[in-house]
Amino acid sequence: MTSFTARSAEQTAADSGTPLVFEVLSYGPGVREFVSRPTGSGKVVAVFRRVLYLRELDGGMICIAHENAHDAPLTIRAAIPRQFDFDEFGISTGMPVGRATENELHIAGRVVLVMSDAAEWRPAKVSASATVGQVLNGLRRVSFELGRHAPAIGLAPLVPQVESLVNEKMPRPAPDTGLLDAALPAVEQLVRSVRLHDAVGVDAAVKRLLGLGPGLTPSGDDFLCGFMAAGMATSKAVGPDSQRSRDFDEAMRDVAESISLHAAGMTTEVSASFLKFAIQGITSSAAHDLIYGLLDAGDEGESLSAAWALTEIGHSSGWDCLLGTLLGMHLCLALHAHRRPVEGLECFGRRTRP
Amino acid sequence: MTVTNLVLPNLYRDSVVLMRISQELEKLDGVQRATAMMGTPNNRSLLNDAGLLTDEGDTASPNDLILAIEASPTLNSISVVSRAQELLRGETVSRGPGNEHGVRSINGALENMPDANLALISVPGQYAAYEAAKALDLGLNVFLFSDNVSIEDEVALKTKAMDSGLLMLGPDCGTAVVGGMPLGFANAVSRGRVGLVSASGTGLQQVMCLLDAAGEGVSQALGVGGRDLDDRVGGLMMMKCLGLLDSDPETDVIVLISKPPGGRTRQRVLEALSQCSKPCVVCFLGVEKSPEVPGVYFESRLDGTARRALELLGSGSGTDRRMEDPFNVRLLMELDQGLGDSRLIRGLYCGGTLRDEAHLVLRENGFGAVSAESEGPGEISLVDHERGGRHRLVDLGDDSLTVGRPHPIIDLRLRCEMLVGAASESDVGIILMDVVLGYGAHPDPASELTPVLRECQGIAEDLKRALAVVIVLCGTSGDPQSVAHQKAALESAGAIVVRSNAQAALIAAALARGDLSLV
């Protein structure tokens, strides 16, 4: 067996049939059981340039990604160089996947993933040091700075409209695409229904978004992933000490329930697998970096960098997730907003007085 | 129109690949629309709303790919479907040419090169501000080559850069040399003691090349974009660069080059100059009268600017003639005799500043009032009261002439067409043009120009008059194109070739007036 060191080695190895060995760096909670089990098999269901999707025999989906990829619930991130190309190496759909030994996963006899030293990735616990005002300013800044450059793909054109959407003011006209024409009323209905704690409205909105848009993970799904992760994280940071918090949490549970009920029949199995974790508040690490950056009142540039990094996932997936993330956070804060000014600092979960 | 749906079970493809396949299908004769989506209920509804869903497509499951095609009923649907299947088989992943390292974004590039501190961005104008903003947010200085960026975006980008302590060179910045590193269209110049900041790319190149010809080098050459001194931008980056050059230990003399700035910005720039600790030479092209500012020397032309810088360094004088080239006087006399009454000038420039300086020189030498009318994009003209008619000077790098095509420094086709057109005008006898060398420029401009120049001479012979071609060759001996080879080749096609734009314009003026004493 040969370790991969360079592109020419990849081609040489491909020609000689020698499997390449890569160490697994981290894995998401969705593949923990798979990693810890000594046996298991499945097949390759999708091959992209730097990402592979596998389906286990029991139906579980696994994503294999290169070393620079973002961690995510279903992702096994391995020390695969960024320039490695699965397709060029000869991996194709239908090829078998199996555990040769307790620590090794063999993919089509061409790639071996060694899992002995891998660590599980989970999003870190939220520690919020920002004030509500700081977070809102950060959200506005990201929405504005990225929004002015939003491409006309997926739901990206709605990124500059986040505050308008939260306040239920009619946003400026977005580019005229069939996707946006369908998505915008659904997003508005979601916002309204969460505000009004209307479970029926939430269910209808979720059903309008699931599976909506092109790609393996449709735009509506990516939006919901960001929305759930951000809404739940922000709500945890705010703390459960008010009726408003409890209402918001219940609304989020309504969203989660609707997703859980309908995803399987309404979207792709890969996307449904990601949504299963989104309803637990877990999505791509890029979105979590953004959420923490905003809640932590750290360097403003870091939040913007995290936002830009998120937009680079997939084709429109990153932008769609960004919209959901910004909207989820903003909506949570809007529903917790105090109507009268308070003395002293207002921090998440507590108030301090001078 | 007929709609066909191809349902491919359990087929996953990259979104960009699917988009490309749709675009390929739409290129087929008879295909009106093509789109690819997973067969989720909401997507089937989208397709239905767009009139692209058939009964077959409606049976797709969420994990199936639907390829929906609308085409002329006379088109053989089997051939379209088989072409679609061929594309799907052939394209399993998206690829980009020359992208060996798989880098598709600034983030990706930064991962590959984490110590990078500058992004050079050259993408179509509609995407340029987006990429530049991203680069600034990632802490990178930016050299933005792209033009067709709105002035609002330019102000926003420069303000963002200032707030972050970064450089935002551009948009429409063609030239810079930063820390000895040439960027964009830059010439191979030695390191030296002159620090330049410019709102003009070719103006910057001309001064650098003239300094190089006189044996002096450059510490930094910072292009700030052509509109920086417009009052709407307010000289944001010019101020910053002046400050940087003033504190740069390698810079002894500062040179500032620009077209005349807006009124408010001019005042701000003068105030900034008055604060500089080093001597400054300022060329607001064409502006002769300026307020006295201690330590600041105003020149109205580029050659004068270079001379003054040399003088301040103690390595030249106001009468320094190292920047002027000897030329074939006999040829000049023959041309003067052969032109007859055909003495109108056609100027074909790839640099706006060089065109403007030529215009200035012509005016200084008696070519009457500027005609306010421009008769074409990038054109200014001068009325010739003596002979009648207009001398026309075109900036081929004008935004309106570069949408969708490479800059004329790289792509000579438009210029070659216009050369032949000018030679065919019976009252045009003088062609004045620039040939700009250096990194990023055409690798061998003489190879394309000399056949055309010979063709133009042939046209002139048919019209029974001479044709004078006067060229300013803006380059250095270190440039990859070999300035000596370019000069020899262009002269072999009958051109008069000099290194100073002002000298070239003066020669043209002399021929136009029939007064060789001007040179």
Side-chain angles (χ1 to χ4, degrees), chain A residues 45 48-50 68 82 87 145 148-149 178 207-208 210-211 213 215-216 266-269 305 308 312, chain B residues 12-14 38 40 42-43 46 62-63 92-93 95 102 104-105 107 111 129-130 133-134 137 153 160:
Chain A
V45 295
F48 300 118
R49 185 162 33 167
R50 287 191 291 273
N68 298 115
R82 195 187 174 94
D87 179 59
E145 290 291 346
R148 65 201 309 271
H149 303 293
K207 276 160 59 176
R208 289 167 86 176
L210 282 172
L216 188 59
M266 295 197 71
T267 190
T268 66
E269 59 183 331
S305 295
W308 283 118
E312 287 174 7
Chain B
Y12 301 121
R13 287 288 184 270
D14 188 290
M38 299 307 289
T40 64
N42 276 323
N43 284 346
L46 276 183
N63 293 304
T92 54
V93 291
R95 298 179 196 286
R104 293 169 60 203
S105 67
N107 262 319
E111 279 172 25
Y130 166 100
K134 213 192 309 187
D137 285 337
D153 277 342
K160 180 196 275 283

Side-chain angles (χ1 to χ4, degrees), chain B residues 229-290:
Chain B
L229 295 196
D230 184 302
D231 274 340
R232 292 170 293 174
V233 184
L236 287 172
M237 209 36 57
M238 179 66 75
M239 308 299 177
K240 182 169 176 70
C241 290
L242 281 173
L244 288 173
L245 291 174
D246 200 37
S247 56
D248 176 27
E250 293 181 10
T251 299
D252 289 344
V253 170
I254 297 172
V255 168
L256 185 159
I257 303 160
S258 172
K259 297 170 196 172
R264 290 193 302 275
T265 306
R266 181 187 154 98
Q267 196 49 44
R268 293 184 65 209
V269 169
L270 291 177
E271 279 165 17
L273 286 166
S274 69
Q275 305 295 319
C276 285
S277 62
K278 298 172 185 173
C280 302
V281 185
V282 176
C283 178
F284 290 147
L285 196 70
V287 175
E288 294 210 18
K289 290 182 186 163
S290 293

Side-chain angles (χ1 to χ4, degrees), chain A residues 48-314:
Chain A
F48 300 118
R49 185 162 33 167
R50 287 191 291 273
V51 164
L52 272 185
Y53 284 94
L54 317 174
R55 187 197 292 119
E56 295 184 76
L57 274 185
D58 67 1
M61 297 297 293
I62 301 166
C63 170
I64 310 292
H66 64 84
E67 61 192 355
N68 298 115
H70 296 288
D71 286 301
L74 302 179
T75 296
I76 291 178
R77 195 168 60 87
I80 303 169
R82 195 187 174 94
Q83 57 266 41
F84 184 86
D85 186 324
F86 286 109
D87 179 59
E88 281 220 7
F89 191 60
I91 307 282
S92 58
T93 56
M95 285 187 166
V97 173
R99 300 292 283 264
T101 69
E102 193 177 320
N103 285 322
E104 289 180 5
L105 177 69
H106 285 224
I107 302 173
R110 314 301 302 281
V111 168
V112 176
L113 301 181
V114 176
M115 291 180 283
S116 40
D117 293 325
E120 182 179 339
W121 167 81
R122 283 194 83 93
K125 282 197 167 181
V126 173
S127 81
S129 58
T131 64
V132 172
Q134 284 173 323
V135 180
L136 285 171
N137 282 340
L139 283 167
R140 287 182 189 114
R141 178 107 197 264
V142 171
S143 172
F144 176 73
E145 290 291 346
L146 272 75
R148 65 201 309 271
H149 303 293
I153 54 172
L155 306 181
L158 296 180
V159 166
Q161 322 276 13
V162 168
E163 192 151 16
S164 303
L165 287 166
V166 166
N167 295 329
E168 297 189 71
K169 289 183 183 160
M170 184 64 73
R172 287 180 297 252
D176 178 26
T177 70
L179 173 60
L180 284 175
D181 285 344
L184 180 54
V187 170
E188 288 176 323
Q189 185 179 28
L190 180 68
V191 169
R192 192 177 325 122
S193 303
V194 167
R195 275 185 175 280
L196 297 175
H197 195 192
D198 170 11
V200 172
V202 161
D203 191 67
V206 166
K207 276 160 59 176
R208 289 167 86 176
L209 287 167
L210 282 172
L212 179 68
L216 188 59
T217 57
S219 296
D221 297 5
D222 292 321
F223 165 83
L224 287 168
C225 284
F227 183 82
M228 289 303 301
M232 290 171 69
T234 310
S235 183
K236 268 199 194 111
V238 168
D241 63 353
S242 71
Q243 182 58 46
R244 289 170 184 270
S245 303
R246 288 190 281 279
D247 286 347
F248 181 80
D249 287 346
E250 199 161 333
M252 294 302 280
R253 281 194 288 274
D254 290 338
V255 177
E257 194 177 320
S258 295
I259 291 173
S260 183
L261 211 55
H262 303 300
M266 295 197 71
T267 190
T268 66
E269 59 183 331
V270 169
S271 197
S273 303
F274 281 117
L275 284 163
K276 225 163 71 172
F277 283 89
I279 61 178
Q280 299 173 43
I282 306 175
T283 186
S284 160
S285 63
H288 287 286
D289 287 344
L290 174 59
I291 294 165
Y292 301 150
L294 288 166
L295 290 174
D296 239 4
D299 181 61
E300 213 170 48
E302 281 179 19
S303 300
L304 287 171
S305 295
W308 283 118
L310 177 55
T311 64
E312 287 174 7
I313 295 176

